[in-house]
Amino acid sequence: MITHLKPTDFKVKSLTTIATPHRGSAVADFVLKQIGDDRLAQLYYALDRLKVETGAFAQLTRDYMTNTFNPATPDIEDVRYFSYGAAMQPSFWSVFRLSHRLLEQIEGYNDGLVSVASSKWGAYKGTLEGVSHLDLINWSNRLKWLAGEITGNRQRFNAIAFYLDIADMLAKEGL
């Protein structure tokens, strides 16, 4: 977006991405292959009826990111780029159990949807350990926090605190 932003009467100073598939995801490759081109339109129609956004799904493949998006969207010279990755080992009940296994075999260490390798862009700030892709958007934290309280296994990752830390880091960088 920064590369193609119009109008240009303001200045973007930085971009920070968190577990973003800069080089695509083998999970997207696998899902699209399993669905097949003939059924993809039906899936998009069903998801649209459920009000689930699907516009970018096919654009998450490794081929699209490597050969189409990244070449057409170069970094801007005076913008600072930061990135974070995430990785975890899914529990038996995790929604990411199968996708994590597939991604680990093909791309390595991952958060269930995006590999650490694909997450790296610009100045890599580090890998969030024991954090799933849903944890990053604070989706599953409420249940995990409750389960952790009950079982005595308190969660270590706090998405809100993490994003506040990023804002603090950017402020310290003068951005």
Coordinates of all heavy atoms in Angstrom, one line a residue, residues 128-131 134-139 141-142 145 154-166:
L128 N 8.1 -14.4 18.2 CA 7.3 -14.6 19.4 C 7.1 -16.0 19.6 O 6.4 -16.7 18.8 CB 5.9 -13.8 19.2 CG 6.0 -12.3 18.9 CD1 4.7 -11.8 18.4 CD2 6.5 -11.6 20.1
E129 N 7.6 -16.6 20.7 CA 7.6 -18.0 20.9 C 6.3 -18.4 21.7 O 5.8 -17.7 22.6 CB 8.8 -18.4 21.8 CG 10.1 -18.1 21.2 CD 10.4 -19.1 20.0 OE1 9.8 -20.1 19.9 OE2 11.3 -18.7 19.2
G130 N 5.7 -19.6 21.3 CA 4.5 -20.1 21.9 C 3.3 -19.3 21.5 O 2.3 -19.3 22.3
V131 N 3.3 -18.6 20.4 CA 2.2 -17.7 20.0 C 1.7 -18.2 18.6 O 2.4 -18.4 17.7 CB 2.7 -16.3 19.9 CG1 1.6 -15.4 19.4 CG2 3.3 -15.8 21.2
L134 N -3.7 -16.9 15.7 CA -4.9 -16.3 16.3 C -4.6 -15.5 17.6 O -5.2 -14.5 17.9 CB -6.0 -17.4 16.7 CG -6.7 -18.0 15.5 CD1 -7.7 -19.1 15.9 CD2 -7.5 -16.9 14.7
D135 N -3.6 -16.0 18.3 CA -3.1 -15.2 19.5 C -2.8 -13.8 19.1 O -3.0 -12.8 19.8 CB -1.9 -15.9 20.2 CG -2.2 -17.2 20.8 OD1 -3.4 -17.4 21.2 OD2 -1.3 -18.0 20.9
L136 N -2.1 -13.6 17.9 CA -1.7 -12.3 17.5 C -2.8 -11.3 17.3 O -2.6 -10.1 17.4 CB -0.9 -12.5 16.2 CG 0.5 -13.2 16.4 CD1 1.0 -13.6 15.0 CD2 1.4 -12.4 17.2
I137 N -4.0 -11.8 16.9 CA -5.1 -10.9 16.8 C -6.0 -10.9 18.0 O -7.1 -10.4 18.0 CB -5.9 -11.2 15.5 CG1 -6.5 -12.6 15.5 CG2 -5.0 -11.0 14.3 CD1 -7.4 -12.9 14.4
N138 N -5.5 -11.5 19.1 CA -6.2 -11.6 20.3 C -7.5 -12.4 20.2 O -8.4 -12.1 21.0 CB -6.4 -10.2 20.9 CG -6.4 -10.2 22.4 OD1 -5.8 -11.0 23.1 ND2 -7.2 -9.2 23.0
W139 N -7.6 -13.2 19.3 CA -8.9 -13.9 19.0 C -9.1 -15.0 20.1 O -10.2 -15.1 20.7 CB -8.8 -14.6 17.7 CG -10.1 -15.3 17.2 CD1 -10.8 -16.3 17.9 CD2 -10.8 -15.2 16.0 NE1 -11.8 -16.7 17.2 CE2 -11.9 -16.0 16.0 CE3 -10.5 -14.4 14.9 CZ2 -12.7 -16.1 15.0 CZ3 -11.4 -14.5 13.9 CH2 -12.5 -15.3 13.9
N141 N -7.4 -15.5 22.9 CA -6.9 -15.2 24.3 C -7.9 -15.3 25.4 O -7.5 -15.8 26.5 CB -6.2 -13.9 24.3 CG -4.8 -13.9 23.8 OD1 -4.3 -15.0 23.4 ND2 -4.1 -12.8 23.8
R142 N -9.1 -14.9 25.2 CA -10.1 -14.9 26.3 C -10.3 -16.3 26.8 O -10.2 -16.5 28.0 CB -11.4 -14.3 25.8 CG -12.4 -14.1 26.9 CD -13.6 -13.5 26.3 NE -13.7 -12.1 26.9 CZ -14.6 -11.2 26.5 NH1 -15.4 -11.5 25.6 NH2 -14.6 -10.1 27.1
W145 N -6.9 -17.6 28.3 CA -6.6 -17.0 29.6 C -7.5 -17.7 30.7 O -7.0 -18.0 31.8 CB -6.9 -15.5 29.6 CG -5.9 -14.7 28.9 CD1 -5.9 -14.4 27.6 CD2 -4.7 -14.2 29.5 NE1 -4.7 -13.7 27.3 CE2 -4.0 -13.5 28.4 CE3 -4.1 -14.2 30.8 CZ2 -2.8 -12.9 28.6 CZ3 -2.9 -13.5 30.9 CH2 -2.2 -12.9 29.9
R154 N -0.9 -20.2 33.3 CA -1.1 -18.8 32.8 C -0.5 -18.6 31.5 O 0.6 -19.0 31.2 CB -0.7 -17.8 33.8 CG -1.5 -17.9 35.1 CD -1.1 -16.7 35.9 NE -2.3 -16.2 36.5 CZ -2.4 -15.3 37.4 NH1 -1.3 -14.6 37.7 NH2 -3.5 -14.9 37.9
Q155 N -1.2 -17.9 30.6 CA -0.7 -17.5 29.3 C 0.4 -16.4 29.4 O 0.3 -15.5 30.2 CB -1.8 -17.0 28.4 CG -2.9 -18.0 28.1 CD -2.3 -19.2 27.4 OE1 -1.6 -19.1 26.4 NE2 -2.5 -20.4 27.9
R156 N 1.5 -16.6 28.7 CA 2.6 -15.6 28.7 C 2.4 -14.5 27.7 O 3.0 -13.4 27.9 CB 3.9 -16.3 28.5 CG 4.2 -17.4 29.5 CD 5.6 -18.0 29.2 NE 5.7 -18.4 27.8 CZ 5.7 -19.6 27.3 NH1 5.6 -20.6 28.2 NH2 5.8 -19.8 26.1
F157 N 1.7 -14.7 26.6 CA 1.5 -13.7 25.6 C 0.3 -12.8 25.8 O -0.8 -13.4 25.9 CB 1.5 -14.3 24.2 CG 1.4 -13.3 23.1 CD1 2.5 -12.6 22.7 CD2 0.2 -13.2 22.4 CE1 2.4 -11.6 21.7 CE2 0.1 -12.3 21.4 CZ 1.2 -11.5 21.0
N158 N 0.5 -11.5 25.8 CA -0.6 -10.6 25.9 C -0.6 -9.7 24.6 O 0.3 -8.9 24.5 CB -0.5 -9.8 27.2 CG -1.6 -8.8 27.3 OD1 -2.1 -8.2 26.4 ND2 -1.9 -8.5 28.6
A159 N -1.5 -9.9 23.7 CA -1.5 -9.2 22.4 C -1.6 -7.7 22.6 O -0.9 -7.0 21.9 CB -2.7 -9.7 21.6
I160 N -2.4 -7.2 23.5 CA -2.5 -5.8 23.7 C -1.2 -5.2 24.2 O -0.8 -4.2 23.7 CB -3.7 -5.5 24.7 CG1 -5.0 -5.9 24.0 CG2 -3.7 -4.0 25.0 CD1 -6.2 -6.0 25.0
A161 N -0.6 -5.8 25.2 CA 0.7 -5.4 25.7 C 1.8 -5.4 24.5 O 2.6 -4.5 24.4 CB 1.2 -6.2 26.8
F162 N 1.7 -6.4 23.7 CA 2.7 -6.5 22.6 C 2.5 -5.4 21.6 O 3.5 -4.7 21.3 CB 2.5 -7.9 21.9 CG 3.2 -8.0 20.6 CD1 4.6 -8.0 20.6 CD2 2.6 -8.0 19.4 CE1 5.4 -8.1 19.4 CE2 3.3 -8.1 18.2 CZ 4.7 -8.2 18.2
Y163 N 1.3 -5.0 21.2 CA 1.1 -3.9 20.3 C 1.5 -2.6 21.0 O 2.0 -1.7 20.3 CB -0.3 -3.9 19.8 CG -0.5 -5.1 18.8 CD1 -1.2 -6.2 19.1 CD2 0.1 -5.0 17.5 CE1 -1.3 -7.3 18.2 CE2 0.0 -6.1 16.6 CZ -0.7 -7.2 17.0 OH -0.8 -8.3 16.1
L164 N 1.2 -2.4 22.2 CA 1.7 -1.2 22.9 C 3.2 -1.1 23.0 O 3.8 0.0 22.8 CB 1.1 -1.2 24.4 CG -0.4 -0.9 24.5 CD1 -0.9 -1.1 25.9 CD2 -0.8 0.4 23.9
D165 N 3.9 -2.3 23.1 CA 5.3 -2.3 23.1 C 5.8 -1.9 21.7 O 6.9 -1.2 21.6 CB 5.9 -3.7 23.4 CG 5.8 -4.0 24.9 OD1 5.6 -3.1 25.7 OD2 5.9 -5.2 25.2
I166 N 5.2 -2.3 20.6 CA 5.6 -1.9 19.3 C 5.4 -0.4 19.2 O 6.3 0.3 18.6 CB 4.7 -2.6 18.2 CG1 5.1 -4.1 18.2 CG2 5.0 -1.9 16.8 CD1 4.3 -4.9 17.2

